[in-house]
């Protein structure tokens, strides 16, 4: 049967706010015996595994000081032989497991974290080997040239891979990387926490991720991706700590997640300028639901700004944001090309926002001077409905491009309550076209009010919505 992993945001918000300090998020691990899992643990996954091993079987030491990179690599290499024989799972038991970057080299594989397990990322750059720049970006996203640091957990060309746990923790120990970034001391792009490339049937679920050096979860050039039940935390001033970034992916489901971030809580991407246009792989058929965000300086959900492969058919519902700069923000610029179209969102609740509706065409950072100034983005078919927002500074800022108007914008059944000191101009609109219906405060002239308009939301289901999870055990046959 399919299992849904849910939470009530109100139950956790006060706890999360208490740890939003300007340093790293601190997490104390419950003391328990290292290296053993005394009882069978059950979890939900797209597939169960026939074979199982503990990380300690390969010499790992969970004292938070001993480097375990070789143990992770040895374990994964050893278990890879079972890929064609029912697959294998590597169990990370209670303890603090310091490691550098490691690759998931085997398909039909599960990495499982016990609830009292913490994977600690090494703070030594040498533990993060350089990998190739993503072809749809051209250069490292931190503005560096060829090469970038490998992600803490990295995989490419995989099928049927699960990264999950009973809310075990991965700590990126990102502050040293943030400091180097601010001080201009990095020669290559910072590591992401989890990055999976060119893969199919991927599940990332039921984990707590904290303090990533940069983006947290980055599925790229992949299909049939399930991201579920994640808690992702970073200080609200940490640089580029996006929570979840589906990038040139097809058929993706993100649900029941809670993110506190120094950047966008979710950023939907598909490549950067001429490199993304040439690579030509869109993000499409994406559903985001039951999602909560805190990010005072960024978006709840951003579409772009790297969207040069295109973004299409995104379905967003049951979204909560608190003390966040904007709701859904479309980010693009001259030179991006491609499109953001067929976007649908409903049932969104926002509290303390700068902007509710935000479309920006002024993201003028480019990988190099080779971008095409004639590559104009197409933005059309943007549908928002059933929105309630309180303590808002601006209702909307919607900026298209001269001679490239953004069209088909529809907003219906939206009630916006303003802050004590709101901006006088509540709707700042240029180079756009569309309609509104039952929207307060009254919209701009470019979005005239129409009676009885109900903005669209698809009635069909995406294939990823019908993926059913199995109940698996950590004590499958070895």
């Amino acid at each position: 049967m399919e299992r849904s992993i849910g939470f009530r945001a109100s139950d956790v918000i006060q706890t999360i706010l208490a740890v939003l300090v300007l340093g790293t998020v601190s997490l104390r691990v419950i003391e328990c015996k290292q290296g053993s899992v005394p009882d069978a643990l059950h979890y939900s996954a797209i597939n169960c595994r026939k074979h199982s091993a503990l990380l300690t079987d390969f010499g790992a030491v969970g004292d938070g000081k001993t480097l375990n990179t070789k143990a992770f690599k040895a374990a994964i290499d050893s278990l890879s032989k079972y890929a064609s024989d029912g697959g294998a799972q590597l169990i990370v038991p209670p303890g603090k497991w310091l490691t550098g970057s490691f690759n998931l080299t085997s398909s039909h594989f599960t990495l499982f974290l016990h609830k009292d397990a913490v994977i600690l990322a090494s703070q030594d750059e040498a533990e993060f080997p350089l990998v190739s720049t993503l072809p749809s970006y051209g250069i490292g996203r931190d503005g560096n040239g060829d090469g970038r640091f490998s992600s803490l957990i990295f995989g490419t060309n995989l099928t049927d891979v699960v990264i999950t746990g009973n809310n075990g923790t991965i700590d990126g120990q990102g502050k040293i990387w943030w400091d180097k970034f601010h001080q201009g001391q990095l020669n290559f792009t910072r590591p992401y926490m989890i990055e999976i490339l060119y893969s199919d049937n991927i599940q990332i679920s039921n984990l707590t991720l904290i303090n990533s050096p940069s983006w947290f979860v980055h599925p790229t050039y992949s299909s049939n991706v399930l991201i579920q039940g994640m808690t992702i935390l970073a200080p609200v001033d940490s640089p580029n700590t996006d929570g979840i970034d589906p990038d040139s992916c097809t058929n993706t489901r993100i649900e029941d997640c809670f993110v506190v971030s120094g950047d966008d809580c979710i950023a939907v991407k598909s490549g950067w300028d001429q490199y993304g246009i040439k690579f030509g792989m869109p993000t499409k058929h994406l559903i985001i639901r039951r999602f909560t965000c805190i990010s005072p300086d960024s978006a709840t959900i951003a579409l772009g700004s790297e969207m040069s492969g295109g973004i299409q058919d995104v379905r967003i519902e049951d979204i909560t944001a608190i003390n966040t700069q904007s709701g859904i923000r479309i980010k693009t610029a001259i030179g991006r090309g491609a499109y953001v179209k067929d976007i649908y969102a409903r049932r969104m609740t926002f509290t303390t926002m700068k902007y509710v509706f935000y479309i920006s065409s002024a993201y003028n950072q480019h990988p190099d001077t080779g971008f095409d100034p004639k590559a104009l983005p197409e933005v059309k078919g943007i549908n928002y409905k059933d929105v309630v927002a309180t303590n808002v500074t601006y209702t909307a800022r919607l900026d298209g491009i001269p001679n490239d108007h953004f069209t088909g914008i529809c907003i219906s059944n939206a009630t916006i309550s303003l802050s004590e000191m709101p901006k006088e101009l509540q709707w700042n609109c240029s180079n756009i076209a569309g309609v509104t219906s039952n929207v307060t405060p009254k919209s701009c002239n470019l979005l005239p009010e129409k009676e009885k308009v109900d903005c669209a939301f698809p009635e069909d289901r995406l294939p990823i919505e019908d993926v059913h999870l199995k109940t698996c055990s950590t004590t499958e046959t070895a």
Side-chain angles (χ1 to χ4, degrees):
M1 63 182 290
E2 182 174 8
R3 292 193 171 191
S4 176
I5 304 165
F7 63 86
R8 293 179 55 191
S10 59
D11 294 338
V12 297
I13 287 168
Q14 291 301 320
T15 300
I16 298 301
L17 290 175
V19 299
L20 293 184
V21 292
L22 296 183
T24 56
V25 177
S26 177
L27 192 69
R28 179 178 178 272
V29 180
I30 298 172
E31 294 298 328
C32 55
K33 185 178 179 181
Q34 295 177 8
S36 63
V37 181
D39 300 311
L41 301 176
H42 299 281
Y43 62 95
S44 298
I46 52 177
N47 281 305
C48 302
R49 311 303 179 195
K50 180 179 178 182
H51 303 275
S52 183
L54 287 171
L55 182 62
T56 47
D57 295 340
F58 302 88
V61 179
D63 59 4
K65 299 177 183 179
T66 302
L67 189 64
N68 294 294
T69 311
K70 291 182 179 179
F72 272 102
K73 291 180 178 179
I76 293 166
D77 288 347
S78 176
L79 293 174
S80 66
K81 64 188 176 186
Y82 297 114
S84 60
D85 181 29
Q89 59 187 355
L90 175 62
I91 300 166
V92 183
K96 296 181 180 179
W97 310 94
L98 182 68
T99 182
S101 172
F102 61 89
N103 290 355
L104 305 181
T105 57
S106 175
S107 294
H108 312 293
F109 179 82
T110 295
L111 177 67
F112 178 89
L113 275 69
H114 185 276
K115 68 181 180 66
D116 297 324
V118 180
I119 293 178
L120 288 172
S122 171
Q123 296 178 303
D124 181 358
E125 283 189 16
E127 286 294 314
F128 294 85
L130 295 179
V131 295
S132 299
T133 301
L134 292 169
S136 59
Y137 282 77
I139 68 169
R141 194 58 189 85
D142 281 344
N144 310 113
D146 291 340
R148 59 198 182 99
F149 290 110
S150 178
S151 299
L152 177 64
I153 301 175
F154 181 77
T156 186
N157 295 298
L158 301 172
T159 299
D160 179 22
V161 166
V162 176
I163 305 172
T164 191
N166 286 346
N167 204 32
T169 299
I170 305 175
D171 183 351
Q173 301 202 100
K175 188 176 186 305
I176 190 171
W177 296 95
W178 307 333
D179 291 345
K180 288 180 179 180
F181 173 77
H182 285 308
Q183 295 162 12
Q185 296 178 350
L186 290 171
N187 295 318
F188 302 99
T189 295
R190 287 164 286 161
Y192 304 142
M193 183 170 281
I194 301 172
E195 183 176 64
I196 306 294
L197 307 178
Y198 301 107
S199 296
D200 182 58
N201 290 326
I202 303 300
Q203 175 186 338
I204 303 171
S205 65
N206 288 14
L207 297 169
T208 295
L209 311 182
I210 64 176
N211 300 327
S212 180
S214 186
W215 303 348
F216 276 88
V217 179
H218 188 217
T220 311
Y221 316 144
S222 295
S223 58
N224 301 307
V225 179
L226 174 61
I227 301 172
Q228 187 181 62
M230 300 292 289
T231 299
I232 299 176
L233 307 175
V236 295
D237 67 339
S238 54
N240 310 116
T241 51
D242 297 9
I244 303 169
D245 287 16
D247 199 339
S248 294
C249 288
T250 298
N251 207 31
T252 301
R253 175 172 137 202
I254 302 171
E255 63 186 7
D256 299 302
C257 296
F258 182 90
V259 176
V260 180
S261 175
D263 209 318
D264 301 321
C265 288
I266 292 177
V268 182
K269 301 177 181 293
S270 67
W272 200 9
D273 285 4
Q274 72 271 28
Y275 301 103
I277 293 171
K278 181 179 179 179
F279 196 75
M281 183 178 289
T283 288
K284 59 184 180 180
H285 309 317
L286 164 65
I287 185 162
I288 302 168
R289 60 193 182 192
R290 300 188 300 274
F291 181 80
T292 299
C293 167
I294 298 174
S295 184
D297 295 322
S298 293
T300 307
I301 300 169
L303 306 175
S305 73
E306 307 93 335
M307 40 63 66
S308 299
I311 297 172
Q312 184 176 16
D313 188 12
V314 179
R315 308 173 185 197
I316 301 166
E317 58 185 346
D318 301 312
I319 306 300
T320 300
I322 303 138
N323 191 22
T324 297
Q325 186 191 67
S326 56
I328 299 170
R329 184 174 183 179
I330 298 174
K331 302 157 65 172
T332 188
I334 293 172
R336 293 290 193 267
Y339 50 83
V340 176
K341 60 185 180 181
D342 305 331
I343 309 300
Y344 311 95
R346 65 183 177 184
R347 298 195 300 266
M348 298 184 290
T349 302
F350 302 139
T351 303
T352 308
M353 309 289 286
K354 184 175 182 180
Y355 303 99
V356 176
F357 308 111
Y358 199 175
I359 299 176
S360 174
S361 59
Y363 270 75
N364 293 319
Q365 185 181 10
H366 303 282
D368 53 44
T369 59
F371 72 93
D372 181 2
K374 296 181 181 179
L376 302 179
E378 178 186 31
V379 177
K380 69 177 185 180
I382 313 300
N383 300 273
Y384 304 143
K385 67 178 181 178
D386 304 334
V387 181
V388 177
T390 58
N391 196 25
V392 170
T393 304
Y394 296 88
T395 298
R397 180 173 177 176
L398 308 172
D399 298 323
I401 298 172
N403 302 317
D404 180 33
H405 291 192
F406 299 167
T407 62
I409 298 171
C410 181
I411 305 173
S412 65
N413 191 27
T415 301
I416 315 302
S417 300
L418 304 182
S419 65
E420 293 183 359
M421 299 181 65
K423 295 296 181 178
E424 183 176 352
L425 180 62
Q426 279 297 300
W427 289 79
N428 190 342
C429 307
S430 62
N431 303 306
I432 64 165
V435 299
T436 57
S437 181
N438 190 27
V439 172
T440 305
K442 184 179 178 180
S443 63
C444 58
N445 292 335
L446 295 177
L447 297 176
E449 175 80 13
K450 303 290 184 180
E451 292 186 4
K452 298 181 180 179
V453 171
D454 185 26
C455 299
F457 196 95
E459 296 183 359
D460 65 317
R461 291 174 64 85
L462 297 177
I464 192 67
E465 295 185 76
D466 293 322
V467 170
H468 294 269
L469 302 183
K470 303 172 183 177
T471 298
C472 304
S473 171
T474 57
T475 57
E476 302 295 335
T477 303

